[in-house]
Each structure stands twice: as C-alpha cells, then as structure tokens.
C-alpha cells in the first residue's frame, strides 16, 4: 500500500473529459464515467482515478474525503470574467426590460461608461475587497480557476491599478486567476481616440508585460472598429501577449477570422458570425467562448449556434462573462443549464465546455480541466447522482465540496 496525501471515495459517479487539449465534434460529448469513482491525490496533483474499491486497496492516507454518493467532476474553469469593478448596474434592468438595447445605453453614456466612473473612484483596497467576495462565491459554486479582465479603468493609472488588484487576488484567493488586459474595452470619453489607441499599442504593452498574460478587445459598434482591432491585436501579438477578442456579440464586424488567423487563443460571444469565419476558427482550432448568461440577461433572444460550431469542428467553451452590465451571475451551473436548454448542448458537451475546453481557452488545458494523472487536483463534488441533474435543478448550487490543488476548501 502506498501512502498518499488524500483519497476521495464513495461517489455515485465520477465524470470527466480526458486529454490536454480541447474537444470538438463528437469527441466533445464523450466523458469518462466511473461508477463509485475515486481519486487519489498527492502533492496537489491527481495520482490516479479509478473505482473506490480499487483505490482503497492500493493507497493509505490520513485524509479520506467521503463523496457520500455525490458526483465527482473537475472544478469549473470560468475563462471569461470582468470581475473587478466598482458600483453595480441594476438600475439598467428596467431600461433593458423596456426594450432599450445594450449598445444604446452605452452610446448614451451609461453602461460600461458608468462602471468606469465608479471604478476610477474606488481605491485598490475597495476593489480588491468586493472582488474577493465575488471570488469566494464563485469558489463555493465550484469554479476553481477564473480569468479576469481589466477594462473599467480606460486610462493608464486605473488600468494599472486593476492589473495590480488582479495580481493581488491571484495571491490571496484560493482560485487560480489568469490576467487579461482589456484596455480596449471601449474608447474613454475623456481621452482623444487616436491618443488612447496609440497608448494601447505602445506604452501599455511595455508597461504591463509582467501583469497580463492576454490582451483582449471589444470589437463592436460603439467600441472598436475592425481596422483598430487589427492594429491593436497585431501590436499585442508582436509584444508577446496571447490574444483574445470579444466579437460578434451584436454585430459581425468580421474580426473573428482575422483574429483566428493571427493566432487568437479564443474568440468570445459569437452570437453573430459567418460560416466562413467559423471554418477559419475550425482550421486554427481557435476556441469559441460562449456566454449564454449574457443573452439571457440582456434579452437579446439570439443564442450562439453551438451545434453548428461543434459540427464544423470548432472547440466550444462556456463562461459566465461575470460583469455588472451584461451578466451579473457567477454560477457556472446555471450557465450549463442555459447551454443545454437554449443552445441544445448535451450535458456531456456542456461539461467538457465548462472544464477542459474552458481551460484550453486560457491556455491551461495541459494542467487543469480534467481528472487524470498529473493534472492539478481541482475537483468538485455535487450532491447529485447523475450529471443531467445539473441543468435540471437550474438556478441553485449543487456543489457541496471543493478541492483546490489537493486541499479541501
Ligand atoms: O463581455 N461586451 C462588452 N463587455 C462586457 C460587458 C461589460 C459591461 O457591460 O460592463 C461583455 O458583455
Ligand atoms: Fe466580456
């Protein structure tokens, strides 16, 4: 018998995608399933996955975690959030419900502009505190890794302040955080357009090299044009950043094909996208990050065509987009429910998309997103006996236990 750090036993079922890269097509719907599954953990990593019977005969440990007939699966990876911000925007709900479009609220100086104002006013301490509370809630709902973007500073000092807060959160929070510079969220009202874009393409890229892994941009009417997108993404890529883009949320400005060919790791939203650009994404294995919580919250009525994407061989990931204006929910279980109900994904596809594929969307698929030997022991236990109960019991929290880097939280 080998002595190890911990053993999770007695599940109704263990389910996980397998591999170190994203799955698409029919493969996205294939999960490994082990009845009465168990996980052996050592040094924060997964040592072995098997049945409870097998692993209890093979290993001894001081920490046995009893899954009590629950479902064991990989922790959720939320690969797209705007989690650090000041204020909140529930005041926009009545306008949205009365039919005012999101881009009209933005054009009239509300929306992202109002969050920018509040975010500039708050201290790092205040921003960090509110963000920590949100991260704790995410963790309780089973998210073990999250990406966080800046984009509510829109001027050099506040963008830097946000990047530093994200760094502090990574150090303090139990979650692993991936940092993205979204200085190109919208164009600030108080800096001339050309001057701001020039900063985004030069000084910002040099100064933020140690603070951000990805650069992102919002390519949309009332945000950045296709020509500006090309310039900013090209400069970011040349400066050594990995790139992502918000595209096709309301209009298809034809930036997705370009970004994919430039080597973007993911393209996010994509409610509006042409088949030819999807084919380019398929060829390059660029991840489509779909965020049905945004469509639900903004009542836009048009969900991304996940079925077509999978058919064309595009890797599909799921994320919340957690932010104060277009999806104030951090609950990946609810996102899975929407993915199944509104985008007609099977539960197997939705789970792959919320774990392994979302890890791929932040370039972490080698380390997280599935339960197999050598991967980080980021594991959740849900109080259910089969995976369809995740979308079925929508809106709540079925997660009872979170294990992060092998530690019971
Ligand atoms: O991904 N679309 C642009 N950015 C965010 C929303 C940000 C906000 O409204 O505060 C999004 O939906
Ligand atoms: Fe977003």
């Amino acid at each position: 018998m080998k002595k190890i750090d911990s053993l999770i036993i007695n599940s109704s079922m263990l389910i996980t995608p397998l591999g170190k890269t994203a799955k698409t097509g029919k493969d996205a719907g294939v999960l490994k399933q082990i009845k009465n599954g168990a996980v052996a953990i050592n040094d924060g990593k997964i040592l072995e996955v098997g049945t409870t019977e097998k692993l209890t005969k093979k290993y001894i440990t001081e920490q046995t975690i009893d899954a009590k007939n629950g479902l064991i699966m990989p922790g959720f990876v939320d690969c797209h959030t705007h989690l650090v911000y000041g204020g909140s925007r529930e005041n926009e709900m009545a306008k949205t419900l009365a039919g005012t479009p999101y881009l009209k609220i933005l054009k009239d100086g509300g929306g992202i502009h109002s969050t920018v104002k509040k975010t500039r006013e708050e201290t790092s301490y205040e921003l960090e505190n509110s963000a920590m509370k949100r991260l704790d809630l995410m963790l309780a709902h089973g998210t073990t890794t999250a990406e966080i973007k800046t984009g509510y500073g829109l001027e050099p000092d506040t963008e830097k302040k946000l990047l530093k807060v994200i760094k502090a959160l990574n150090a303090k929070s139990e979650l692993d955080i991936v940092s993205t510079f979204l200085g190109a969220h919208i164009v600030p009202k108080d800096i001339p357009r050309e001057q701001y874009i020039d900063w985004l393409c030069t000084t910002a890229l040099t100064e933020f090299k140690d603070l951000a892994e990805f650069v992102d941009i919002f390519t949309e009417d009332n945000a950045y044009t296709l020509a500006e997108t090309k310039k900013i993404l090209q400069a970011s890529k040349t400066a050594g950043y990995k790139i992502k883009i918000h595209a096709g949320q309301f209009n298809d400005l034809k930036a997705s094909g370009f970004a994919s060919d430039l080597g973007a790791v993911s393209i996010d939203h994509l409610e509006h996208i042409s088949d030819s650009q999807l084919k380019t994404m398929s060829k390059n294995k660029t991840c489509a990050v779909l965020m049905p919580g945004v469509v639900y919250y903004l009542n836009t009525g048009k969900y991304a065509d996940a079925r077509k994407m999978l058919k064309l061989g595009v890797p599909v990931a799921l994320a919340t987009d957690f932010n104060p204006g277009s999806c104030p929910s951090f609950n990946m279980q609810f996102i899975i429910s929407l993915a199944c109900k509104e985008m007609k994904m099977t539960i197997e596809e939705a789970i792959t998309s919320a774990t392994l594929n979302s890890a791929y969307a932040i370039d972490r698929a080698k380390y997280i997103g599935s339960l197999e030997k050598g991967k980080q022991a980021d594991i959740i236990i849900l109080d259910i006996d089969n995976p369809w109960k995740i979308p079925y019991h929508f809106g709540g929290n079925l997660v009872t236990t979170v294990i992060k880097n092998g530690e019971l939280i």
Side-chain angles (χ1 to χ4, degrees), residues 18-30:
L18 289 178
K20 292 183 172 174
T21 189
K23 295 284 153 76
T24 182
K26 288 206 166 56
D27 294 343
V30 179

Side-chain angles (χ1 to χ4, degrees), residues 80 82 89 92 102 111-112 115 149 152 182 185 218 246 249-250 269 291 294 298 321 323-327:
H80 180 141
H82 307 244
R89 308 230 296 272
E92 281 169 18
Y102 177 86
I112 297 171
T115 301
K149 305 171 196 300
Y152 294 122
L182 176 62
H185 199 181
F218 183 26
H246 285 66
Q249 185 177 6
F250 303 101
H269 285 290
M291 300 176 290
V294 176
L298 293 180
D321 197 10
N323 74 74
S326 74
C327 186

